Each structure stands twice: as structure tokens, then as C-alpha cells.
Amino acid sequence: MIEEGPSSDPDIDIIDLDIHSPSTELHEIIQQKEAENRFLQQKLQMTQWTITYLEQRNKQLEDEHTLDELRRIHEDRNLARKRLGDLVPVEREAMLLRVNAHLERLLAKANKDKDMLRHMKNHYWARMHVCKAKMKVLQGRLAKALRRRKRPDPLHILAEASLKEHGAK
């Protein structure tokens, strides 16, 4: 039998000259147990890794759950502020009266603006017709002036002829 010394490689088998000796069986059992032990250590490492992963994932899910709860609470508060149904009837009636008064003021202003626009339209429509009438009068005067200018005035012709005869220029 070769004696076993400090070995860095656990996979090196020990060679026994006497195969059927009790020490050979003992070595086989030891090797089996060492292999089994290595397998169990790998399994332990894998389970430890799995446990660590699951703990981290569980923490992450708890954080997400907490964030969802906070978000839901925030949304519920916002909805509670916006809903009219949550108000006390007296508060709701007072708010509706204020809203109604505001809408009446807006309607009065819109009616006033509409009336003002109607008056402006009538005013400018009347001014347009006055201007059109003035244009017709001025066009008539212009046409008369142009006709007079085109026709020679007989007195003017006689005056020019007499001035030429007398030597005036």
C-alpha cells in the first residue's frame, strides 16, 4: 500500500496492493463519503445562493408593495379632494351657490359683450352706407368736372382770340 501524504488534489486515488484488504474497503468507503460530502457541499452552496436570492427578491417585493400602498393612498387623497360627494351637504350647497353665481356673472358678461358687438356692427354698417353715399356724390362731382374740362368753354375761346388780336400774349 502506498501511504497517503498531504495532497492538494482530493481526486488522487490511493492504490492498494491488496485489493481485498479491510483498508481498501475502508478507503473506498472514505472516497464515497468524500464524494458524497463534496456533492452535499455543492448542494449546500446552491441552496445558500437560492436562499440569498429569494431573500433579496422578497425584500424587493416588499419595497414594491410598500410603494404601491403609498401610491394608492396618495391617489385616494387626490380623489377625495376632487369628489363633490364627500362634502357635507351644507358645504356642497354653499359651493354650488358660489359656482352658480360665478356662472351667472360669466353669462351676464357674455350677453353684454354680445350686445356691444351687435351695436358695433350696426354702427359700422351705417357708417359704411354713409361713406358709400358720399362716394357716389363725389364721383358725380368728379364726372361733372371731367366733362366740363373736356368741353371747351366758348367764352374762354373768345377771350383768348381777342387777346391775340390785340397783341397780348
Side-chain angles (χ1 to χ4, degrees):
M1 179 166 130
I2 301 176
E3 288 189 15
E4 182 178 338
S7 169
S8 64
D9 191 4
D11 293 333
I12 297 178
D13 293 333
I14 300 171
I15 299 174
D16 192 7
L17 296 176
D18 188 14
I19 295 179
H20 296 293
S21 70
S23 64
T24 307
E25 290 175 9
L26 188 60
H27 278 301
E28 287 177 5
I29 290 172
I30 290 172
Q31 286 176 353
Q32 285 176 352
K33 294 296 178 184
E34 284 177 353
E36 204 174 299
N37 192 15
R38 272 187 256 126
F39 176 72
L40 290 174
Q41 282 179 350
Q42 287 176 345
K43 209 170 186 183
L44 176 66
Q45 286 176 349
M46 288 172 48
T47 54
Q48 286 175 342
W49 181 84
T50 305
I51 288 170
T52 305
Y53 171 76
L54 291 175
E55 287 174 347
Q56 290 173 352
R57 182 68 178 143
N58 191 22
K59 173 101 172 78
Q60 184 182 10
L61 290 174
E62 286 175 1
D63 291 345
E64 287 176 6
H65 179 68
T66 305
L67 284 174
D68 286 341
E69 279 186 39
L70 290 173
R71 200 174 295 125
R72 185 178 44 79
I73 290 169
H74 182 70
E75 289 173 359
D76 289 345
R77 283 183 185 166
N78 285 340
L79 285 175
R81 278 190 225 136
K82 292 178 184 175
R83 286 188 293 208
L84 295 176
D86 293 346
L87 296 175
V88 178
V90 174
E91 292 175 351
R92 183 177 27 205
E93 186 176 335
M95 188 176 68
L96 289 174
L97 287 173
R98 283 193 309 265
V99 168
N100 199 12
H102 176 69
L103 291 174
E104 285 176 357
R105 283 191 302 271
L106 289 176
L107 181 62
K109 183 180 178 207
N111 286 338
K112 183 179 170 184
D113 290 345
K114 183 181 78 169
D115 288 341
M116 184 176 62
L117 288 173
R118 185 180 306 121
H119 291 304
M120 286 174 63
K121 180 201 66 109
N122 291 337
H123 171 75
Y124 285 111
W125 184 83
R127 283 190 69 187
M128 178 189 68
H129 284 285
V130 167
C131 289
K132 279 185 177 180
K134 282 183 181 179
M135 280 178 36
K136 282 186 181 179
V137 168
L138 291 175
Q139 282 177 345
R141 285 182 187 170
L142 179 66
K144 271 187 183 178
L146 289 175
R147 273 182 279 169
R148 269 193 247 144
R149 192 170 165 200
K150 289 181 184 176
R151 268 188 297 156
D153 189 16
L155 291 176
H156 187 62
I157 295 173
L158 287 175
E160 283 181 9
S162 70
L163 284 176
K164 281 185 184 176
E165 284 177 18
H166 294 293
K169 230 184 182 187

